[in-house]
Amino acid sequence: MKNLTDYEIIESVKKGNTADFALLVERYKNRAFSMLKRMLKNEPEAEEALQDCFLKCFNALSDFRTEAKFSTWFYKITYNTALTRLAGKKRKIEYEMKSLDDELNLTASELGSFEQSDFSEFVLSLIDKLPVKYAAVLNMFYLNGMSCDEIADVTENSIANVKVMLHRARTLLRELIEKRDLKRELL
Amino acid sequence: MNHLTDDLLNKIIDGEASVAESNFATSHVPTCASCAEKLEAMKKVHANLLTLKEESPSVNFTAVLMGKLERSLKRKKQQKYFVSFIFALFIILILASLGYLISISQFSLSFSAESGKYISEYVNRYSSVTDDLRKLISGRSLTMIGSVLSMGIIITAYFFYNNHKTFKNILK
């Protein structure tokens, strides 16, 4: 079966072949779900939000400009949908008010609980504790393979801001890993 | 003594360090255990982040979504037909009213050589038309026409508002 491009699928859907939209869903659902789960910190809610994203995407397909990249446009819808949901539940305010350092100020006992766990699991668990926008940037950069340019477009930030968020998140993860390794050495 | 800053560490990881910065890092790291550890930890973080895996929603997600989509499209089609029906009903009512007005008025005028007679005949016919019009728009006829028009306006306004709300949600 010929591997259709995003634009070919969109053109087909615009002509009335609604069933072809399922191809786009299959192509993007996992990455979008991963991003939503990291931002909303809740699996059932992430799935509901994912449905909303695809429905919004379908309804707005007629407005999609083919010179733009579909993935960037879709992830923008996903990102904004997550923020809207968080704003509705007031959790967004909590997450934005917390500083990056507060959020990851793990106590000695919390660090200790990660001692025995696999290093990768440790890093992943830390990402889940990051504030929403930092988790989203890390997810888009590492999982979706997006450039800082594209991430800036999705998050409506400058490229410099995106880089700062990426660097700060990485630096903090590094500091926590150093703390963990230091604790291990002392014990 | 200068050490590797967090900014430089990130630049090294992203491959964005300048030649001078790279040279500095290369010469400094072997001589400074602390910076060597930091660089190593940063590389570990980066390597692990590269192994981030996708997570999947439920197995029947696509089927459920496509079902919702089909139902939504069907509903929109029905709404569209209903609005068109109401609009067509309006047009028919207006045309029927006009037709009735035209049929009760008599536009054939007999010409008289005397202009005065022509004018008074015209005035008489005009009065009879206005009398008939007054009968049409008084009492029960007026109430009925008003009710039908009001109902049609309310229903059409509801559907336009609904469509506007949906459009606003899309823009969000």
Side-chain angles (χ1 to χ4, degrees):
Chain A
M1 189 182 161
K2 187 184 162 192
N3 203 14
L4 299 169
T5 64
D6 291 344
Y7 303 116
E8 285 169 343
I9 296 171
I10 291 166
E11 286 307 310
S12 174
V13 172
K14 280 181 180 178
K15 283 177 186 165
N17 302 319
T18 313
D20 285 349
F21 189 68
L23 296 171
L24 276 179
V25 173
E26 285 296 317
R27 203 170 273 185
Y28 288 100
K29 67 176 183 179
N30 289 347
R31 290 186 173 182
F33 179 70
S34 303
M35 185 159 122
L36 286 168
K37 199 176 162 190
R38 294 231 150 77
M39 290 179 77
L40 299 173
K41 325 277 187 202
N42 181 301
E43 196 166 319
E45 201 180 339
E47 193 156 318
E48 211 180 282
L50 187 62
Q51 282 199 0
D52 282 347
C53 292
F54 278 116
L55 289 171
K56 280 183 192 174
C57 170
F58 182 84
N59 288 327
L61 267 185
S62 52
D63 300 328
F64 173 68
R65 296 168 290 122
T66 47
E67 57 266 20
K69 207 172 164 186
F70 175 78
S71 57
T72 310
W73 180 73
F74 177 66
Y75 289 133
K76 197 170 187 172
I77 294 174
T78 308
Y79 180 77
N80 287 333
T81 301
L83 289 184
T84 305
R85 281 187 167 248
L86 288 169
K89 291 177 188 268
K90 294 184 187 174
R91 276 191 281 158
K92 181 188 171 219
I93 297 165
E94 291 167 16
Y95 278 114
E96 283 194 340
M97 288 297 280
K98 272 186 182 170
S99 73
L100 192 53
D101 297 327
D102 288 342
E103 188 63 44
L104 284 179
N105 195 11
L106 300 175
T107 62
S109 61
E110 279 174 313
L111 268 175
S113 70
F114 290 122
E115 260 185 34
Q116 302 306 319
S117 68
D118 182 48
F119 184 80
S120 319
E121 280 175 30
F122 177 60
V123 171
L124 291 177
S125 62
L126 290 179
I127 295 168
D128 286 339
K129 288 186 181 296
L130 284 174
V132 165
K133 290 187 177 180
Y134 289 89
V137 168
L138 276 184
N139 202 83
M140 283 189 271
F141 188 81
Y142 283 101
L143 187 62
N144 299 1
M146 292 165 71
S147 65
C148 289
D149 212 6
E150 288 169 325
I151 297 171
D153 192 17
V154 166
T155 58
E156 290 175 0
N157 261 317
S158 63
I159 297 173
N161 273 350
V162 167
K163 282 190 174 175
V164 163
M165 285 166 73
L166 184 63
H167 292 177
R168 285 191 70 202
R170 274 205 295 234
T171 302
L172 199 61
L173 291 176
R174 176 187 61 76
E175 285 170 359
L176 282 163
I177 286 160
E178 283 178 337
K179 254 191 211 175
R180 175 183 179 263
D181 289 346
L182 181 64
K183 193 175 186 298
R184 271 187 165 172
E185 277 176 19
L186 291 172
L187 295 172
Chain B
M1 189 186 184
N2 284 336
H3 292 279
L4 297 184
T5 60
D6 289 335
D7 185 48
L8 180 54
L9 285 167
N10 276 292
K11 277 185 182 178
I12 291 167
I13 294 295
D14 290 334
E16 290 174 359
S18 65
V19 172
E21 285 169 336
S22 298
N23 288 339
F24 167 70
T26 311
S27 59
H28 178 76
V29 165
T31 64
C32 177
S34 161
C35 287
E37 262 175 43
K38 279 186 182 177
L39 182 59
E40 191 54 38
M42 192 61 114
K43 283 180 178 174
K44 260 180 164 178
V45 166
H46 179 65
N48 270 276
L49 288 173
L50 285 171
T51 64
L52 270 180
K53 286 191 174 48
E54 290 175 358
E55 295 187 64
S56 304
S58 57
V59 172
N60 61 344
F61 173 81
T62 308
V64 168
L65 175 73
M66 293 308 292
K68 264 192 183 177
L69 206 58
E70 293 291 329
R71 284 193 296 276
S72 155
L73 284 172
K74 201 176 170 183
R75 205 168 36 242
K76 274 187 194 159
K77 226 181 206 177
Q78 284 171 348
Q79 280 178 1
K80 203 173 154 186
Y81 286 145
F82 188 77
V83 169
S84 305
F85 171 73
I86 296 292
F87 187 67
L89 202 61
F90 265 161
I91 301 293
I92 290 167
L93 275 172
I94 290 166
L95 287 174
S97 307
L98 279 173
Y100 179 69
L101 283 174
I102 290 165
S103 70
I104 62 169
S105 71
Q106 294 164 30
F107 288 129
S108 56
L109 298 169
S110 55
F111 287 95
S112 165
E114 296 154 15
S115 60
K117 206 174 168 186
Y118 169 79
I119 289 166
S120 78
E121 208 177 288
Y122 182 78
V123 167
N124 286 339
R125 293 209 194 281
Y126 181 71
S127 304
S128 77
V129 167
T130 51
D131 284 341
D132 289 331
L133 192 62
R134 216 177 288 125
K135 279 182 205 164
L136 180 71
I137 61 169
S138 67
R140 264 170 40 181
S141 310
L142 181 63
T143 310
M144 206 170 72
I145 291 169
S147 306
V148 169
L149 282 172
S150 305
M151 192 184 77
I153 288 166
I154 289 165
I155 292 169
T156 311
Y158 165 75
F159 282 112
F160 277 125
Y161 170 72
N162 218 23
N163 278 339
H164 175 68
K165 214 167 115 184
T166 313
F167 184 64
K168 262 180 88 174
N169 286 339
I170 289 166
L171 288 178
K172 268 191 210 167

